[in-house]
Amino acid sequence: MFGIIVSALMIAFGIFLKVTKHPGFAQNKKFAWVFITIGLVSLIFKIVNYQ
């Protein structure tokens, strides 16, 4: 259950990085797709393997 929550938070943070206009996060915008992809793949595997 904890892994599902962490995966969802990674997706949410990736989306936040993608849409934010804050100058402090400007250099990290390129990592948005990395967070979204890792979170999505992790979430899918956590749900598939959840017993």
Side-chain angles (χ1 to χ4, degrees):
M1 187 67 174
F2 179 71
I4 293 172
I5 294 170
V6 171
S7 299
L9 288 175
M10 285 180 68
I11 294 170
F13 185 65
I15 293 170
F16 167 75
L17 280 179
K18 194 75 177 157
V19 300
T20 190
K21 303 290 187 207
H22 192 277
F25 290 111
Q27 63 185 6
N28 296 325
K29 279 184 154 305
K30 59 186 171 188
F31 294 116
W33 285 113
V34 174
F35 279 110
I36 292 170
T37 304
I38 291 173
L40 193 63
V41 169
S42 177
L43 185 64
I44 289 170
F45 282 112
K46 296 280 184 197
I47 290 173
V48 168
N49 291 328
Y50 189 72
Q51 297 176 8

Short mmCIF file of all heavy atoms in Angstrom, two decimals:
data_model
loop_
_atom_site.label_atom_id
_atom_site.label_comp_id
_atom_site.label_asym_id
_atom_site.label_seq_id
_atom_site.Cartn_x
_atom_site.Cartn_y
_atom_site.Cartn_z
N MET A 1 0.83 -1.19 0.00
CA MET A 1 0.00 0.00 0.00
C MET A 1 0.88 1.26 0.00
O MET A 1 0.54 2.23 -0.65
CB MET A 1 -0.91 -0.05 1.24
CG MET A 1 -1.91 1.03 1.28
SD MET A 1 -3.08 0.79 -0.05
CE MET A 1 -4.23 2.05 0.30
N PHE A 2 1.97 1.22 0.75
CA PHE A 2 2.87 2.36 0.81
C PHE A 2 3.49 2.65 -0.56
O PHE A 2 3.63 3.81 -0.95
CB PHE A 2 3.97 2.10 1.85
CG PHE A 2 4.96 3.22 1.97
CD1 PHE A 2 4.59 4.41 2.56
CD2 PHE A 2 6.24 3.09 1.47
CE1 PHE A 2 5.50 5.46 2.67
CE2 PHE A 2 7.16 4.12 1.57
CZ PHE A 2 6.78 5.30 2.17
N GLY A 3 3.82 1.60 -1.30
CA GLY A 3 4.40 1.77 -2.63
C GLY A 3 3.45 2.44 -3.60
O GLY A 3 3.86 3.21 -4.46
N ILE A 4 2.17 2.14 -3.48
CA ILE A 4 1.16 2.75 -4.34
C ILE A 4 1.07 4.24 -4.05
O ILE A 4 0.99 5.06 -4.97
CB ILE A 4 -0.20 2.05 -4.16
CG1 ILE A 4 -0.12 0.61 -4.68
CG2 ILE A 4 -1.31 2.81 -4.86
CD1 ILE A 4 -1.34 -0.23 -4.39
N ILE A 5 1.12 4.60 -2.79
CA ILE A 5 1.05 6.02 -2.41
C ILE A 5 2.29 6.76 -2.89
O ILE A 5 2.19 7.87 -3.44
CB ILE A 5 0.88 6.15 -0.88
CG1 ILE A 5 -0.48 5.58 -0.45
CG2 ILE A 5 1.01 7.59 -0.43
CD1 ILE A 5 -0.65 5.43 1.04
N VAL A 6 3.46 6.15 -2.74
CA VAL A 6 4.70 6.79 -3.20
C VAL A 6 4.68 6.96 -4.72
O VAL A 6 5.09 8.00 -5.24
CB VAL A 6 5.93 5.98 -2.73
CG1 VAL A 6 7.20 6.50 -3.38
CG2 VAL A 6 6.05 6.03 -1.22
N SER A 7 4.20 5.96 -5.43
CA SER A 7 4.11 6.05 -6.89
C SER A 7 3.17 7.17 -7.32
O SER A 7 3.46 7.94 -8.24
CB SER A 7 3.62 4.73 -7.47
OG SER A 7 4.51 3.69 -7.18
N ALA A 8 2.03 7.28 -6.64
CA ALA A 8 1.09 8.35 -6.96
C ALA A 8 1.68 9.72 -6.66
O ALA A 8 1.46 10.68 -7.41
CB ALA A 8 -0.21 8.14 -6.17
N LEU A 9 2.44 9.83 -5.58
CA LEU A 9 3.10 11.10 -5.26
C LEU A 9 4.17 11.46 -6.29
O LEU A 9 4.35 12.64 -6.62
CB LEU A 9 3.70 11.05 -3.86
CG LEU A 9 2.71 11.08 -2.71
CD1 LEU A 9 3.43 10.89 -1.38
CD2 LEU A 9 1.93 12.37 -2.72
N MET A 10 4.87 10.46 -6.81
CA MET A 10 5.87 10.72 -7.86
C MET A 10 5.19 11.26 -9.12
O MET A 10 5.70 12.17 -9.76
CB MET A 10 6.65 9.46 -8.18
CG MET A 10 7.68 9.09 -7.14
SD MET A 10 8.59 7.61 -7.55
CE MET A 10 9.52 8.18 -8.95
N ILE A 11 4.05 10.67 -9.47
CA ILE A 11 3.31 11.15 -10.64
C ILE A 11 2.84 12.59 -10.40
O ILE A 11 2.97 13.45 -11.27
CB ILE A 11 2.12 10.22 -10.94
CG1 ILE A 11 2.62 8.86 -11.39
CG2 ILE A 11 1.21 10.82 -12.00
CD1 ILE A 11 1.55 7.80 -11.48
N ALA A 12 2.31 12.84 -9.21
CA ALA A 12 1.83 14.19 -8.89
C ALA A 12 2.97 15.20 -8.92
O ALA A 12 2.80 16.32 -9.43
CB ALA A 12 1.15 14.19 -7.52
N PHE A 13 4.13 14.84 -8.40
CA PHE A 13 5.27 15.75 -8.42
C PHE A 13 5.76 16.00 -9.84
O PHE A 13 6.13 17.12 -10.18
CB PHE A 13 6.41 15.20 -7.55
CG PHE A 13 7.57 16.14 -7.44
CD1 PHE A 13 7.43 17.36 -6.80
CD2 PHE A 13 8.80 15.82 -7.98
CE1 PHE A 13 8.50 18.24 -6.69
CE2 PHE A 13 9.87 16.69 -7.87
CZ PHE A 13 9.72 17.90 -7.23
N GLY A 14 5.73 14.96 -10.67
CA GLY A 14 6.11 15.14 -12.07
C GLY A 14 5.17 16.08 -12.80
O GLY A 14 5.61 16.95 -13.57
N ILE A 15 3.89 15.97 -12.53
CA ILE A 15 2.91 16.88 -13.13
C ILE A 15 3.11 18.29 -12.60
O ILE A 15 3.05 19.26 -13.36
CB ILE A 15 1.48 16.37 -12.87
CG1 ILE A 15 1.26 15.07 -13.65
CG2 ILE A 15 0.44 17.41 -13.27
CD1 ILE A 15 -0.02 14.35 -13.30
N PHE A 16 3.40 18.40 -11.31
CA PHE A 16 3.69 19.71 -10.73
C PHE A 16 4.89 20.36 -11.41
O PHE A 16 4.85 21.54 -11.75
CB PHE A 16 3.94 19.58 -9.22
CG PHE A 16 4.54 20.80 -8.60
CD1 PHE A 16 3.76 21.92 -8.38
CD2 PHE A 16 5.88 20.83 -8.25
CE1 PHE A 16 4.32 23.07 -7.81
CE2 PHE A 16 6.44 21.96 -7.69
CZ PHE A 16 5.66 23.08 -7.47
N LEU A 17 5.96 19.59 -11.62
CA LEU A 17 7.14 20.13 -12.29
C LEU A 17 6.81 20.57 -13.71
O LEU A 17 7.35 21.55 -14.20
CB LEU A 17 8.26 19.09 -12.33
CG LEU A 17 9.09 18.90 -11.08
CD1 LEU A 17 10.13 17.81 -11.31
CD2 LEU A 17 9.78 20.19 -10.67
N LYS A 18 5.93 19.83 -14.36
CA LYS A 18 5.59 20.13 -15.75
C LYS A 18 4.82 21.44 -15.87
O LYS A 18 5.02 22.19 -16.82
CB LYS A 18 4.75 18.98 -16.32
CG LYS A 18 4.62 18.99 -17.77
CD LYS A 18 5.90 18.55 -18.40
CE LYS A 18 5.74 18.48 -19.89
NZ LYS A 18 7.01 18.59 -20.56
N VAL A 19 3.95 21.75 -14.92
CA VAL A 19 3.06 22.91 -15.06
C VAL A 19 3.49 24.13 -14.26
O VAL A 19 2.94 25.21 -14.46
CB VAL A 19 1.61 22.54 -14.69
CG1 VAL A 19 1.09 21.45 -15.59
CG2 VAL A 19 1.49 22.15 -13.23
N THR A 20 4.46 24.00 -13.38
CA THR A 20 4.83 25.12 -12.52
C THR A 20 5.58 26.21 -13.30
O THR A 20 6.27 25.93 -14.28
CB THR A 20 5.69 24.66 -11.33
OG1 THR A 20 5.83 25.75 -10.42
CG2 THR A 20 7.06 24.19 -11.76
N LYS A 21 5.40 27.43 -12.86
CA LYS A 21 6.10 28.57 -13.45
C LYS A 21 7.15 29.14 -12.48
O LYS A 21 7.74 30.17 -12.74
CB LYS A 21 5.10 29.69 -13.79
CG LYS A 21 4.00 29.26 -14.72
CD LYS A 21 4.52 29.03 -16.10
CE LYS A 21 3.34 28.78 -17.03
NZ LYS A 21 3.66 27.98 -18.17
N HIS A 22 7.34 28.48 -11.35
CA HIS A 22 8.27 28.95 -10.32
C HIS A 22 9.70 28.89 -10.85
O HIS A 22 10.14 27.86 -11.36
CB HIS A 22 8.13 28.07 -9.08
CG HIS A 22 8.82 28.64 -7.88
ND1 HIS A 22 10.17 28.47 -7.65
CD2 HIS A 22 8.34 29.38 -6.85
CE1 HIS A 22 10.49 29.07 -6.53
NE2 HIS A 22 9.40 29.63 -6.02
N PRO A 23 10.46 29.99 -10.73
CA PRO A 23 11.83 29.99 -11.28
C PRO A 23 12.78 29.03 -10.56
O PRO A 23 13.77 28.60 -11.14
CB PRO A 23 12.28 31.43 -11.11
CG PRO A 23 11.38 32.03 -10.10
CD PRO A 23 10.08 31.27 -10.15
N GLY A 24 12.49 28.66 -9.34
CA GLY A 24 13.34 27.74 -8.61
C GLY A 24 13.30 26.33 -9.17
O GLY A 24 14.24 25.56 -9.02
N PHE A 25 12.20 25.97 -9.81
CA PHE A 25 12.05 24.64 -10.39
C PHE A 25 12.38 24.62 -11.88
O PHE A 25 12.25 23.59 -12.53
CB PHE A 25 10.62 24.12 -10.19
CG PHE A 25 10.30 23.78 -8.77
CD1 PHE A 25 9.39 24.55 -8.05
CD2 PHE A 25 10.89 22.71 -8.15
CE1 PHE A 25 9.09 24.23 -6.75
CE2 PHE A 25 10.60 22.38 -6.84
CZ PHE A 25 9.69 23.16 -6.13
N ALA A 26 12.78 25.75 -12.45
CA ALA A 26 13.01 25.84 -13.89
C ALA A 26 14.09 24.87 -14.37
O ALA A 26 13.96 24.27 -15.43
CB ALA A 26 13.38 27.26 -14.26
N GLN A 27 15.14 24.69 -13.60
CA GLN A 27 16.22 23.79 -14.02
C GLN A 27 15.83 22.33 -13.87
O GLN A 27 16.48 21.45 -14.43
CB GLN A 27 17.49 24.07 -13.24
CG GLN A 27 17.38 23.83 -11.76
CD GLN A 27 18.63 24.25 -11.03
OE1 GLN A 27 19.52 24.82 -11.63
NE2 GLN A 27 18.71 23.98 -9.76
N ASN A 28 14.77 22.03 -13.12
CA ASN A 28 14.35 20.65 -12.90
C ASN A 28 13.19 20.23 -13.79
O ASN A 28 12.70 19.12 -13.67
CB ASN A 28 13.96 20.44 -11.43
CG ASN A 28 15.14 20.62 -10.52
OD1 ASN A 28 16.27 20.28 -10.88
ND2 ASN A 28 14.91 21.17 -9.35
N LYS A 29 12.72 21.12 -14.66
CA LYS A 29 11.59 20.79 -15.51
C LYS A 29 11.88 19.62 -16.44
O LYS A 29 10.97 18.88 -16.80
CB LYS A 29 11.17 22.00 -16.35
CG LYS A 29 10.32 22.99 -15.60
CD LYS A 29 9.89 24.06 -16.58
CE LYS A 29 8.64 24.75 -16.22
NZ LYS A 29 7.48 24.01 -16.01
N LYS A 30 13.14 19.42 -16.80
CA LYS A 30 13.46 18.31 -17.70
C LYS A 30 13.25 16.95 -17.02
O LYS A 30 13.14 15.95 -17.70
CB LYS A 30 14.89 18.44 -18.21
CG LYS A 30 15.93 18.46 -17.12
CD LYS A 30 17.30 18.73 -17.67
CE LYS A 30 18.27 18.96 -16.53
NZ LYS A 30 19.56 19.42 -17.00
N PHE A 31 13.20 16.91 -15.71
CA PHE A 31 12.98 15.67 -14.99
C PHE A 31 11.50 15.34 -14.81
O PHE A 31 11.17 14.30 -14.24
CB PHE A 31 13.65 15.72 -13.62
CG PHE A 31 15.14 15.78 -13.70
CD1 PHE A 31 15.82 16.88 -13.22
CD2 PHE A 31 15.87 14.74 -14.24
CE1 PHE A 31 17.20 16.95 -13.29
CE2 PHE A 31 17.25 14.80 -14.32
CZ PHE A 31 17.92 15.90 -13.85
N ALA A 32 10.62 16.19 -15.28
CA ALA A 32 9.18 15.97 -15.09
C ALA A 32 8.75 14.65 -15.71
O ALA A 32 8.06 13.85 -15.08
CB ALA A 32 8.38 17.13 -15.66
N TRP A 33 9.16 14.42 -16.97
CA TRP A 33 8.76 13.18 -17.63
C TRP A 33 9.38 11.96 -16.98
O TRP A 33 8.80 10.87 -16.99
CB TRP A 33 9.10 13.22 -19.12
CG TRP A 33 8.16 14.09 -19.88
CD1 TRP A 33 8.47 15.26 -20.50
CD2 TRP A 33 6.76 13.89 -20.08
NE1 TRP A 33 7.35 15.79 -21.07
CE2 TRP A 33 6.28 14.97 -20.83
CE3 TRP A 33 5.87 12.90 -19.69
CZ2 TRP A 33 4.95 15.08 -21.20
CZ3 TRP A 33 4.54 13.01 -20.06
CH2 TRP A 33 4.09 14.09 -20.81
N VAL A 34 10.56 12.11 -16.40
CA VAL A 34 11.20 11.00 -15.70
C VAL A 34 10.38 10.60 -14.49
O VAL A 34 10.10 9.41 -14.28
CB VAL A 34 12.65 11.36 -15.29
CG1 VAL A 34 13.26 10.27 -14.44
CG2 VAL A 34 13.49 11.65 -16.50
N PHE A 35 9.96 11.57 -13.68
CA PHE A 35 9.13 11.28 -12.51
C PHE A 35 7.79 10.68 -12.91
O PHE A 35 7.32 9.73 -12.30
CB PHE A 35 8.89 12.54 -11.68
CG PHE A 35 10.02 12.88 -10.76
CD1 PHE A 35 10.81 13.98 -11.00
CD2 PHE A 35 10.30 12.10 -9.66
CE1 PHE A 35 11.86 14.30 -10.16
CE2 PHE A 35 11.35 12.40 -8.81
CZ PHE A 35 12.13 13.51 -9.07
N ILE A 36 7.16 11.23 -13.95
CA ILE A 36 5.86 10.73 -14.39
C ILE A 36 6.00 9.29 -14.89
O ILE A 36 5.20 8.42 -14.53
CB ILE A 36 5.28 11.64 -15.48
CG1 ILE A 36 4.92 13.00 -14.88
CG2 ILE A 36 4.05 11.01 -16.12
CD1 ILE A 36 4.55 14.06 -15.90
N THR A 37 7.02 9.01 -15.68
CA THR A 37 7.21 7.67 -16.23
C THR A 37 7.52 6.64 -15.15
O THR A 37 6.91 5.57 -15.11
CB THR A 37 8.34 7.68 -17.27
OG1 THR A 37 8.03 8.65 -18.27
CG2 THR A 37 8.51 6.32 -17.91
N ILE A 38 8.46 6.97 -14.28
CA ILE A 38 8.82 6.03 -13.21
C ILE A 38 7.64 5.80 -12.28
O ILE A 38 7.36 4.66 -11.89
CB ILE A 38 10.05 6.53 -12.43
CG1 ILE A 38 11.28 6.46 -13.31
CG2 ILE A 38 10.26 5.70 -11.16
CD1 ILE A 38 12.52 7.09 -12.70
N GLY A 39 6.93 6.85 -11.94
CA GLY A 39 5.77 6.71 -11.07
C GLY A 39 4.68 5.89 -11.71
O GLY A 39 4.06 5.04 -11.06
N LEU A 40 4.43 6.10 -12.99
CA LEU A 40 3.38 5.36 -13.70
C LEU A 40 3.73 3.89 -13.83
O LEU A 40 2.90 3.02 -13.54
CB LEU A 40 3.15 5.98 -15.07
CG LEU A 40 1.91 5.56 -15.81
CD1 LEU A 40 0.66 5.98 -15.03
CD2 LEU A 40 1.88 6.20 -17.18
N VAL A 41 4.96 3.60 -14.23
CA VAL A 41 5.38 2.20 -14.37
C VAL A 41 5.35 1.50 -13.01
O VAL A 41 4.86 0.37 -12.88
CB VAL A 41 6.79 2.12 -15.01
CG1 VAL A 41 7.36 0.72 -14.92
CG2 VAL A 41 6.73 2.59 -16.45
N SER A 42 5.84 2.17 -12.00
CA SER A 42 5.84 1.59 -10.66
C SER A 42 4.42 1.36 -10.16
O SER A 42 4.11 0.32 -9.57
CB SER A 42 6.59 2.52 -9.71
OG SER A 42 6.55 2.03 -8.41
N LEU A 43 3.53 2.31 -10.41
CA LEU A 43 2.14 2.18 -9.98
C LEU A 43 1.47 1.01 -10.69
O LEU A 43 0.75 0.23 -10.05
CB LEU A 43 1.38 3.47 -10.25
CG LEU A 43 -0.06 3.54 -9.76
CD1 LEU A 43 -0.10 3.45 -8.24
CD2 LEU A 43 -0.71 4.82 -10.23
N ILE A 44 1.71 0.87 -11.97
CA ILE A 44 1.11 -0.25 -12.71
C ILE A 44 1.58 -1.59 -12.15
O ILE A 44 0.77 -2.49 -11.91
CB ILE A 44 1.43 -0.12 -14.22
CG1 ILE A 44 0.65 1.04 -14.82
CG2 ILE A 44 1.11 -1.42 -14.96
CD1 ILE A 44 1.08 1.41 -16.22
N PHE A 45 2.89 -1.72 -11.92
CA PHE A 45 3.39 -2.98 -11.40
C PHE A 45 2.95 -3.23 -9.96
O PHE A 45 2.73 -4.38 -9.58
CB PHE A 45 4.91 -3.05 -11.51
CG PHE A 45 5.38 -3.38 -12.91
CD1 PHE A 45 6.06 -2.44 -13.66
CD2 PHE A 45 5.11 -4.61 -13.46
CE1 PHE A 45 6.47 -2.74 -14.94
CE2 PHE A 45 5.53 -4.93 -14.74
CZ PHE A 45 6.21 -3.99 -15.49
N LYS A 46 2.80 -2.18 -9.16
CA LYS A 46 2.32 -2.36 -7.79
C LYS A 46 0.87 -2.85 -7.80
O LYS A 46 0.50 -3.71 -7.01
CB LYS A 46 2.41 -1.06 -7.00
CG LYS A 46 3.79 -0.55 -6.79
CD LYS A 46 4.48 -1.27 -5.68
CE LYS A 46 5.83 -0.60 -5.48
NZ LYS A 46 6.75 -1.39 -4.72
N ILE A 47 0.06 -2.30 -8.70
CA ILE A 47 -1.36 -2.71 -8.76
C ILE A 47 -1.47 -4.14 -9.31
O ILE A 47 -2.27 -4.93 -8.82
CB ILE A 47 -2.16 -1.71 -9.61
CG1 ILE A 47 -2.27 -0.39 -8.84
CG2 ILE A 47 -3.54 -2.25 -9.94
CD1 ILE A 47 -2.89 0.75 -9.62
N VAL A 48 -0.68 -4.46 -10.35
CA VAL A 48 -0.74 -5.80 -10.93
C VAL A 48 -0.28 -6.85 -9.93
O VAL A 48 -0.88 -7.93 -9.83
CB VAL A 48 0.12 -5.86 -12.22
CG1 VAL A 48 0.32 -7.30 -12.68
CG2 VAL A 48 -0.53 -5.03 -13.31
N ASN A 49 0.75 -6.57 -9.16
CA ASN A 49 1.30 -7.54 -8.21
C ASN A 49 0.68 -7.46 -6.83
O ASN A 49 1.09 -8.19 -5.93
CB ASN A 49 2.81 -7.37 -8.10
CG ASN A 49 3.51 -7.80 -9.36
OD1 ASN A 49 3.06 -8.70 -10.05
ND2 ASN A 49 4.60 -7.13 -9.66
N TYR A 50 -0.29 -6.58 -6.64
CA TYR A 50 -0.91 -6.42 -5.32
C TYR A 50 -1.77 -7.66 -5.02
O TYR A 50 -2.58 -8.07 -5.81
CB TYR A 50 -1.77 -5.16 -5.29
CG TYR A 50 -2.27 -4.80 -3.91
CD1 TYR A 50 -1.40 -4.30 -2.97
CD2 TYR A 50 -3.60 -4.96 -3.58
CE1 TYR A 50 -1.84 -3.97 -1.71
CE2 TYR A 50 -4.05 -4.63 -2.32
CZ TYR A 50 -3.17 -4.14 -1.39
OH TYR A 50 -3.62 -3.81 -0.14
N GLN A 51 -1.56 -8.25 -3.84
CA GLN A 51 -2.31 -9.45 -3.49
C GLN A 51 -3.09 -9.26 -2.24
O GLN A 51 -2.77 -8.71 -1.30
CB GLN A 51 -1.36 -10.61 -3.32
CG GLN A 51 -0.63 -10.93 -4.60
CD GLN A 51 0.40 -12.03 -4.41
OE1 GLN A 51 0.47 -12.66 -3.37
NE2 GLN A 51 1.19 -12.26 -5.43
#
